[in-house]
Amino acid sequence: MGVHNDVLYRVYPIPATRVLNVDLKVPTDHATVEIRNISGDVVMNRTIDSKDVPAGKYALTSTFDISKFAPGAYYLNVSVDGKKYSQPFVKQ
């Protein structure tokens, strides 16, 4: 789980094999998430929007199908209101 100022996020499972789940609690109703390989190439990118969730729960959630990615190290980058956060993960 990562915490950066007012952004709380959870990336799981790590290591990942088929899917990578991203849960965000952010002070806005959408965020941009991109996955880059170790060379820095964007291999996936998506904007995720808020859902109607109870207070205290993660406001933004998304599942990424990474089953076709080659095994190795990747970076998940989250952009919220012009701020960027990064979380490394391993795809097995």
Side-chain angles (χ1 to χ4, degrees):
M1 182 180 316
V3 179
H4 293 282
N5 298 326
D6 50 0
V7 175
L8 176 67
Y9 61 92
R10 180 172 54 181
V11 178
Y12 60 95
I14 296 178
T17 55
R18 299 170 79 43
V19 297
L20 185 71
N21 299 298
V22 180
D23 297 337
L24 302 164
K25 185 183 285 188
V26 295
T28 187
D29 61 356
H30 68 279
T32 301
V33 178
E34 70 179 14
I35 298 175
R36 292 183 178 261
N37 62 19
I38 198 71
S39 299
D41 302 320
V42 175
V43 294
M44 187 176 286
N45 124 6
R46 179 183 305 163
T47 297
I48 53 177
D49 296 310
S50 63
K51 296 180 180 180
D52 185 23
V53 294
K57 299 292 183 185
Y58 286 88
L60 304 175
T61 189
S62 192
T63 299
F64 294 84
D65 179 359
I66 61 168
S67 61
K68 294 182 178 158
F69 288 11
Y74 292 84
Y75 289 92
L76 181 120
N77 299 315
V78 178
S79 297
V80 177
D81 292 336
K83 298 176 186 169
K84 294 187 178 187
Y85 311 95
S86 185
Q87 171 75 42
F89 72 93
V90 173
K91 197 286 187 177
Q92 289 186 331

